[in-house]
Amino acid sequence: MRKSGEERREEIVQAVIDLAAEGGQSQLSTQAIADRVGIAQPTVFRHFRTRDLILQAVIDWISRHLLGLVMAIATGNGSARERLPRLLTRQLEFIARHPGLPRLLFSERVHQDSPVLKQSVGRVMANWTRTVTELIREGQAEGSFRADLDAEETARLILAMIQGLVMRWSISDFQFDLPAQAEAVWRLVAPAMTSPSPGP
């Protein structure tokens, strides 16, 4: 049965993520992508006219799946103090399942060569920050996070910690358990965020 254009584009996006995990940006020739999917090279260009459009599709895929996961946890059950560490763990689990993502997002092509791609990544980061900011504010309202925190600044700092951790994991060729690091991050962050227990 012939695959739809949407199915084929999804296969191409997944091939790009897999190839990036194996060899980074240097592996992302359209021939390598075509070979991974099992199609002719011209078929890749029928779905995406340029390599940048392929990378844009990858960023859109990250936005849908990662931010969808983050939003589901942020608006789910439990207190904000319960949901925030769960969110960090699930996010790192997601990235660990798709190790090509950091190599694409931190690539020179995205950061230096293409303002459009850079802006797209910036929007993903802004949406993540907005979601976590609202979760922190909810925790402040329920009394589990300190009222004097700047919620948006705190969300940005947590994001920076996650980005640094993921970059180290990628540079080490994925040599440590990334999701397990969520507990270490939370052990560092929680005391700075948590409202002290009332005295006797």
Side-chain angles (χ1 to χ4, degrees):
M1 183 176 178
R2 186 170 182 172
K3 295 185 177 180
S4 68
E6 183 177 349
E7 289 173 325
R8 190 64 82 191
R9 285 189 291 274
E10 178 77 11
E11 285 184 338
I12 291 170
V13 165
Q14 291 299 321
V16 169
I17 294 171
D18 291 344
L19 288 167
E22 294 167 11
Q25 189 78 11
S26 63
Q27 298 297 312
L28 298 183
S29 68
T30 52
Q31 186 60 61
I33 295 168
D35 291 344
R36 179 58 61 97
V37 176
I39 57 178
Q41 186 183 25
T43 304
V44 175
F45 288 110
R46 281 206 295 271
H47 294 285
F48 299 102
R49 294 191 308 276
T50 67
R51 285 179 64 188
D52 276 5
L53 288 176
I54 298 174
L55 292 176
Q56 180 64 61
V58 172
I59 295 169
D60 292 343
W61 183 92
I62 295 168
S63 181
R64 289 195 310 275
H65 291 83
L66 178 58
L67 292 180
L69 172 68
V70 167
M71 179 63 73
I73 297 171
T75 58
N77 297 324
S79 69
R81 195 185 186 287
E82 293 169 333
R83 279 177 279 152
L84 184 52
R86 188 185 313 147
L87 184 154
L88 299 179
T89 299
R90 294 290 299 281
Q91 177 172 342
L92 293 179
E93 288 173 346
F94 177 88
I95 295 169
R97 288 195 302 272
H98 306 285
L101 296 183
R103 292 187 169 173
L104 290 168
L105 294 178
F106 298 142
S107 69
E108 184 176 326
R109 182 65 188 154
V110 170
H111 282 253
Q112 297 182 26
D113 297 341
S114 175
V116 173
L117 294 175
K118 186 176 181 178
Q119 289 171 4
S120 294
V121 172
R123 283 193 292 272
V124 173
M125 292 168 57
N127 287 332
W128 187 97
T129 301
R130 189 177 305 114
T131 300
V132 174
T133 296
E134 289 305 312
L135 181 56
I136 293 170
R137 286 177 178 154
E138 184 180 336
Q140 289 174 311
E142 68 189 22
S144 56
F145 296 147
R146 286 170 35 199
D148 61 340
L149 285 176
D150 182 318
E152 186 173 355
E153 180 182 72
T154 303
R156 287 198 187 108
L157 289 172
I158 293 172
L159 177 59
M161 292 177 68
I162 295 296
Q163 288 173 322
L165 175 62
V166 170
M167 173 67 86
R168 181 167 64 86
W169 177 69
S170 181
I171 288 173
S172 75
D173 290 326
F174 323 120
Q175 291 300 307
F176 60 88
D177 185 344
L178 182 63
Q181 298 300 304
E183 184 179 348
V185 171
W186 185 243
R187 281 200 307 269
L188 181 64
V189 170
M193 294 182 63
T194 305
S195 297
S197 300

